[in-house]
Amino acid sequence: MGIRKAAKGVSEFLIETVGEVVGEAILSLLACALLAGLAAVAYLSWTFSPRLTIAAAGLASLFLAHGAWRSYRAPAKGRGRGLAAVTTAGFTLVAGTALFLLVYGTGCDCL
């Protein structure tokens, strides 16, 4: 009975370990692909029009700054929240993507 229980414990440990390694590899590959895609978009937009790229970066910065400001500010009573909800969601998405790339994209040796 003791040998079966030990074998079952070892097999569960191996399955869990292999699952974690495969999961980490998939997340690292996804981070590398995302990072390569962002670099390609930046390169292509710069080659198309540097002025338009800088203008779009400025607008995106304003969008994210407004989202960050509305995220950490108390909501105003009696006012519409349409733009505030969109900018807050955009800021949250970009912050989550940045955190994901910080955790998994730092070991990306593909670039």
Side-chain angles (χ1 to χ4, degrees), residues 14-102:
L14 286 176
I15 290 171
E16 184 178 332
T17 303
V18 169
E20 286 181 11
V21 168
V22 169
E24 289 283 330
I26 289 171
L27 288 174
S28 294
L29 184 64
L30 183 64
C32 285
L34 179 63
L35 196 56
L38 289 173
V41 165
Y43 174 75
L44 290 174
S45 67
W46 186 263
T47 58
F48 177 69
S49 173
R51 289 180 184 163
L52 190 60
T53 302
I54 291 173
L59 286 175
S61 297
L62 287 174
F63 178 81
L64 294 175
H66 185 264
W69 179 58
R70 294 299 289 192
S71 292
Y72 297 109
R73 185 172 177 247
K77 293 183 179 179
R79 296 188 58 178
R81 298 184 190 180
L83 179 65
V86 171
T87 58
T88 301
F91 171 72
T92 305
L93 179 69
V94 169
T97 303
L99 183 64
F100 172 73
L101 286 175
L102 182 68

